[in-house]
Amino acid sequence: MKRQLSLLIFIVCGFLACKKDSPEVKAEFRVKKTSFYLLEQVEFMNVSAQGVYLWDFGDKQTSTDVSPVHTYTKPGTYNVSLTLNGQVTEVKTIVVYASISSYVVVNNTGFDGLEVTAYYSDINGRIADSVKLGTLAALAKSDTVFTAATLIKLGGVQMGKRTSTEYPLLRNTNNVLSMQ
């Protein structure tokens, strides 16, 4: 009896060790960024093991494609989930802005500490809205700004002097604006 019990313990322990060494199945996906504007295509890259996929884009739309492309038609915050084989799920948050364009500002002046503000003027030249982009080091980029404006001005203070440059924005494009 003692020998049978030892054999049973050995078999059970061996089984548990085998289970422990098996690879963990994970639902996993990537997106290049997490902020988008309306009607911009969002490309989801599935990096999971092979299996049966179910995507829920958080806007009552779903897909079973391996790596789908989705377009949001309303602004908001969406929790996107990928379910693998009906049980393992990963969730990421996507923000969609009610805007027609976006931009980042690059400090190409060669000077550290450039304080940058983007602003929009009304037809009389009065500032209608502004966004402080903060202090940018040389060659640094600002965060992405989403906007409904088609023309913005960037203003800053560089070595005690005020600067201002006007930029037309291209629709549905991530404009890269350079402070020279």
Side-chain angles (χ1 to χ4, degrees), residues 37-64:
Y37 47 85
L38 281 179
L39 305 178
E40 180 180 7
Q41 289 188 332
V42 182
E43 296 178 22
F44 296 97
M45 184 171 58
N46 185 347
V47 292
S48 305
Q50 287 192 332
V52 177
Y53 311 111
L54 177 60
W55 293 87
D56 182 338
F57 300 114
D59 62 352
K60 300 183 181 174
Q61 301 293 314
T62 61
S63 175
T64 56

Side-chain angles (χ1 to χ4, degrees), residues 13-159:
C13 289
F15 176 73
L16 291 174
C18 288
K19 269 213 106 29
K20 215 177 207 179
D21 293 337
S22 63
E24 183 181 338
V25 177
K26 290 172 53 177
E28 196 173 354
F29 68 95
R30 295 190 179 103
V31 287
K32 290 181 182 176
K33 57 185 184 170
T34 57
S35 297
F36 299 87
Y37 47 85
L38 281 179
L39 305 178
E40 180 180 7
Q41 289 188 332
V42 182
E43 296 178 22
F44 296 97
M45 184 171 58
N46 185 347
V47 292
S48 305
Q50 287 192 332
V52 177
Y53 311 111
L54 177 60
W55 293 87
D56 182 338
F57 300 114
D59 62 352
K60 300 183 181 174
Q61 301 293 314
T62 61
S63 175
T64 56
D65 292 347
V66 175
S67 292
V69 175
H70 185 68
T71 304
Y72 290 91
T73 59
K74 293 182 181 174
T77 301
Y78 299 94
N79 291 319
V80 179
S81 65
L82 169 61
T83 301
L84 176 62
N85 298 330
Q87 56 187 329
V88 182
T89 303
E90 180 178 25
V91 178
K92 292 189 183 202
T93 301
I94 301 292
V95 178
V96 178
Y97 291 94
S99 58
I100 59 168
S101 190
S102 63
Y103 63 92
V104 296
V105 177
V106 180
N107 177 3
N108 284 327
T109 64
F111 295 102
D112 283 331
L114 179 65
E115 292 182 35
V116 180
T117 301
Y119 56 96
Y120 324 107
S121 302
D122 62 18
I123 57 171
N124 297 318
R126 292 185 299 248
I127 295 176
D129 192 15
S130 66
V131 177
K132 289 188 182 226
L133 300 174
T135 303
L136 298 179
L139 302 177
K141 291 183 180 179
S142 71
D143 289 336
T144 301
V145 178
F146 292 84
T147 181
T150 56
L151 181 71
I152 66 161
K153 292 181 182 179
L154 294 179
V157 177
Q158 178 181 324
M159 299 190 59

